Amino acid sequence: MLCDNCKKNPATFFYKDVSGEQIKEVHLCEECARKKGIISDKKLSPHEILQKLLKSVEKEDGQIVCPICLLTLSEFKKFGRFGCANCLKVFEPYIKTLIREVQNSEKHIGKKAKPGGRRIVEIFRLKEELRRALEKEAYEDAAKIRDQLKTMGVENV
Amino acid sequence: MFENIKWLISPELSRECEEKEIVVSTRIRVARNIEGIPFELKMKTKDAEKLVQMVKSALEMNFKGKFLDLQKLKPLEKESLLESHLISPAIVKKELPTATFISEEGNISIMVNEEDHLRIQGLSCGLNLSNIASKVYEFEEILGQELGYAYNENYGFITSCPTNLGTGLRASVLLHLPGLVYTNEIEKILKSTFNLGMAVRGLYGEGSEIKGNLFQISNQHTLGFKEDELIEKITKFTKMLIDLELKARDVILNRARYELEDKIFRSLGILTSARLINSDEVLSLLSAIRLGIGLGLIKDIDIITLNEIMLVTRPGNIQLYYGEILEEQERDIRRADYIRHKLAKRNPASD
Ligand SMILES: [Zn+2]
Ligand SMILES: [Zn+2]
């Protein structure tokens, strides 16, 4: 059987194309399969691509710092991990290409974060305030915080 | 002895479901982080403790289930959770406080302080991605309201590693494809998965070898698509693989029916008579039985029983099942015992 693409070389590579509505059997020669990017010598996973891209360290990377968690861009490139939610904003101008290469995309189009009351975060904040009030023996304040906590559904504090 | 864990068999995995012979299980996991708390790389013990407490409260106020402090579990209990896919190898290795929540139905597990603050996972038998995804997102939404997720307009949910940005979603199916293995077609097919944005792994995730003709297919990217689109894509691809697997089986039946039947019934013979058996041999024998059921050659064993045997005979789970620490040979004896008894309970053989 000859290659569907060049119709010259014998087809040695068969695969089912499921990108369209119908499943098509495709027959290609090694060369055309490679040209079409269907097979490549190095198939890198997103993790491997990330590791490769992180190696390009610039001198000034040590000076670019996330003010919240103090992670530098060079540390990000060393570990391949963000230190906090704010890092992305700080490093964004320098890692746009990296994200595009790793993810094959540069824009989130999925579900969005829904704004919520963050009730638990508030409860933990109030509990901490209560602890401090009790430490200072500010019992009136403590009672107020307890009432607040009660309205949020927290008993026995 | 192991009072903490009694979930060996998730009820979800013993339910009736579609395509359960070829699709052993379906999994969804969503990675989320909480705004205002440092990520793994910069996290201190104090932050980790606080996060565990906050997630615990958020779950207790909204859901029924079991919240387990992983530091308090025995090594064997952790191994069993690992074998049951309820926790990951990465979380077991961590030194900071970690926890896991297991829903009342046993199909949702939430890891706290893995690589991300939250890894919300759903597990189901058969091809069931959209169902299990909607359960996962029930938990995801409530926890988001209570805790507030780290989010960026452009890049979606912010994760510790850039490879999880966006949806933070990994959907996977564990497929049993003996026909494609025996006909040597599997290599060709797996080559094409890569270009469709999917990865193939063994039973226990990245780097694990292929055992028992089981292949795990999952998406490679997490950014730039809608959740339902991805689920649809994997479902479609799985259905195509099922179709190819069934065709491969027809080919084998036409060309080598007796060899195949022989392999299947010899496997059954070993499983019902062995006195010593290791867990990898069990996986490969179970694959033959599974195929036998799929082809209608074995009618008195059901897939649910096989799933149960597959899970209980793992090295950690078998010890938990008998409630004691067992040396390797002792495990092989008990495993063989367990399987013989399990298969002896079946209905009289069909022919
Ligand atoms: Zn060609
Ligand atoms: Zn930061």
Side-chain angles (χ1 to χ4, degrees):
Chain A
M1 186 180 294
L2 287 178
C3 168
D4 293 344
N5 192 50
C6 64
K7 305 199 163 64
K8 263 183 0 216
N9 303 331
T12 52
F13 192 80
F14 306 85
Y15 78 103
K16 317 265 182 210
D17 181 3
V18 289
S19 51
E21 268 308 296
Q22 224 119 50
I23 297 169
K24 274 194 305 193
E25 174 127 13
V26 183
H27 315 267
L28 297 172
C29 70
E30 185 95 15
E31 207 186 312
C32 292
R34 216 173 283 277
K35 263 190 231 152
K36 285 184 172 262
I38 287 154
I39 50 168
S40 60
D41 294 325
K42 282 213 182 92
K43 287 175 179 171
L44 298 179
S45 71
H47 260 283
E48 290 162 329
I49 295 170
L50 176 67
Q51 289 314 317
K52 230 174 117 180
L53 291 172
L54 289 173
K55 285 191 183 126
S56 61
V57 182
E58 311 282 336
K59 267 189 222 131
E60 60 275 18
D61 287 354
Q63 263 86 64
I64 300 153
V65 190
C66 166
I68 304 290
C69 73
L70 305 179
L71 189 78
T72 62
L73 184 55
S74 53
E75 284 174 309
F76 168 76
K77 288 187 176 177
K78 184 174 167 200
F79 300 110
R81 297 283 189 277
F82 297 117
C84 76
N86 191 60
C87 289
L88 179 63
K89 226 190 297 168
V90 180
F91 302 151
E92 189 185 341
Y94 312 95
I95 63 171
K96 267 191 151 137
T97 344
L98 175 140
I99 294 176
R100 197 188 330 114
E101 295 280 311
V102 167
Q103 290 279 5
N104 244 346
S105 165
E106 47 197 0
K107 180 84 187 130
H108 175 62
I109 57 163
K111 285 182 201 291
K112 290 177 184 290
K114 289 200 184 111
R118 302 192 81 187
R119 175 171 61 152
I120 300 294
V121 178
E122 182 61 10
I123 289 172
F124 273 71
R125 194 187 61 77
L126 286 171
K127 278 185 178 171
E128 180 59 26
E129 238 175 65
L130 177 64
R131 196 186 56 78
R132 261 187 250 136
L134 290 173
E135 239 172 45
K136 285 189 290 185
E137 299 184 13
Y139 297 115
E140 243 171 75
D141 292 348
K144 269 187 212 153
I145 300 169
R146 274 207 188 93
D147 287 343
Q148 246 179 306
L149 280 166
K150 247 177 223 162
T151 61
M152 298 178 80
V154 185
E155 305 283 333
N156 340 306
V157 276
Chain B
M1 181 175 187
F2 302 108
E3 60 296 327
N4 281 319
I5 69 169
K6 292 194 178 71
W7 54 73
L8 269 176
I9 304 303
S10 158
E12 188 63 27
L13 287 182
S14 46
R15 234 166 33 96
E16 275 307 315
C17 46
E18 267 178 65
E19 303 289 2
K20 64 178 188 281
E21 185 259 309
I22 295 179
V23 188
V24 180
S25 63
T26 291
R27 264 195 300 163
I28 295 272
R29 81 92 162 109
V30 175
R32 292 288 184 266
N33 289 281
I34 310 307
E35 179 69 47
I37 295 180
F39 291 1
E40 181 186 35
L41 190 56
K42 288 284 184 180
M43 198 175 225
K44 305 272 187 315
T45 308
K46 199 175 58 139
D47 305 316
E49 263 163 17
K50 186 180 172 191
L51 182 67
V52 168
Q53 287 313 315
M54 291 204 318
V55 177
K56 187 176 185 209
S57 307
L59 285 164
E60 278 172 357
M61 289 172 98
N62 295 287
F63 299 103
K64 281 186 185 151
K66 203 177 244 184
F67 193 86
L68 299 164
D69 183 341
L70 287 179
Q71 267 60 28
K72 288 189 186 137
L73 291 189
K74 298 181 176 76
L76 186 57
E77 292 176 315
K78 284 190 244 184
E79 198 182 330
S80 166
L81 285 175
L82 207 60
E83 289 171 354
S84 310
H85 299 286
L86 292 166
I87 59 172
S88 68
I91 202 170
V92 176
K93 289 188 202 112
K94 286 196 66 165
E95 279 161 23
L96 291 177
T98 52
T100 190
F101 169 84
I102 292 156
S103 70
E104 201 176 29
E105 297 81 21
N107 56 351
I108 301 288
S109 71
I110 301 173
M111 286 186 274
V112 189
N113 282 336
E114 212 247 23
E115 184 183 294
D116 294 296
H117 291 159
L118 298 176
R119 287 278 174 102
I120 309 169
Q121 304 196 105
L123 187 65
S124 164
C125 70
L127 184 55
N128 212 354
L129 281 164
S130 46
N131 268 335
I132 196 68
S134 66
K135 280 186 190 132
V136 165
Y137 282 103
E138 264 174 45
F139 284 81
E140 189 268 349
E141 257 182 49
I142 301 272
L143 289 176
Q145 280 164 20
E146 298 280 33
L147 300 163
Y149 294 138
Y151 185 80
N152 175 291
E153 271 306 315
N154 257 326
Y155 293 110
F157 292 95
I158 307 172
T159 49
S160 197
C161 180
T163 56
N164 292 315
L165 281 174
T167 57
L169 172 65
R170 193 82 60 209
S172 60
V173 284
L174 184 64
L175 302 175
H176 178 236
L177 305 172
L180 294 172
V181 173
Y182 299 155
T183 54
N184 281 326
E185 287 216 48
I186 196 76
E187 280 295 313
K188 260 187 282 174
I189 292 162
L190 296 186
K191 265 186 195 164
S192 71
T193 63
F194 207 88
N195 305 287
L196 295 168
M198 284 178 253
V200 185
R201 305 190 179 105
L203 176 56
Y204 285 96
E206 209 149 355
S208 70
E209 49 178 312
I210 305 289
K211 286 175 183 168
N213 300 319
L214 295 169
F215 299 84
Q216 193 176 295
I217 312 262
S218 59
N219 58 305
Q220 297 240 52
H221 303 116
T222 54
L223 183 70
F225 54 79
K226 292 202 171 78
E227 289 81 355
D228 330 351
E229 283 169 7
L230 174 90
I231 284 166
E232 179 61 36
K233 183 170 146 182
I234 295 207
T235 304
K236 206 171 142 195
F237 184 68
T238 304
K239 284 187 174 158
M240 185 207 67
L241 284 177
I242 293 173
D243 195 47
L244 293 175
E245 168 67 19
L246 293 175
K247 283 188 184 130
R249 290 177 184 186
D250 281 343
V251 170
I252 304 171
L253 280 179
N254 280 330
R255 288 193 200 149
R257 180 173 196 108
Y258 287 100
E259 287 87 338
L260 185 65
E261 287 190 8
D262 186 64
K263 187 179 168 68
I264 289 166
F265 286 103
R266 272 174 194 269
S267 300
L268 185 58
I270 296 172
L271 279 177
T272 49
S273 353
R275 293 301 192 265
L276 272 176
I277 197 161
N278 73 38
S279 58
D280 283 350
E281 187 181 0
V282 171
L283 276 185
S284 89
L285 295 170
L286 285 179
S287 168
I289 310 294
R290 211 176 176 96
L291 179 59
I293 298 172
L295 294 173
L297 295 169
I298 297 175
K299 296 194 180 76
D300 53 356
I301 303 175
D302 59 22
I303 293 292
I304 290 165
T305 307
L306 286 196
N307 286 349
E308 197 172 320
I309 295 175
M310 199 162 99
L311 206 55
V312 175
T313 54
R314 302 310 295 161
N317 281 342
I318 193 73
Q319 300 178 65
L320 211 59
Y321 182 84
Y322 285 106
E324 51 188 307
I325 307 244
L326 303 169
E327 293 302 317
E328 197 175 333
Q329 185 174 25
E330 187 64 25
R331 287 206 295 271
D332 291 351
I333 297 170
R334 297 290 185 95
R335 184 180 290 119
D337 234 37
Y338 165 80
I339 297 170
R340 278 203 321 280
H341 284 101
K342 198 81 202 166
L343 293 180
K345 274 184 240 153
R346 69 206 155 107
N347 306 319
S350 41
D351 61 325

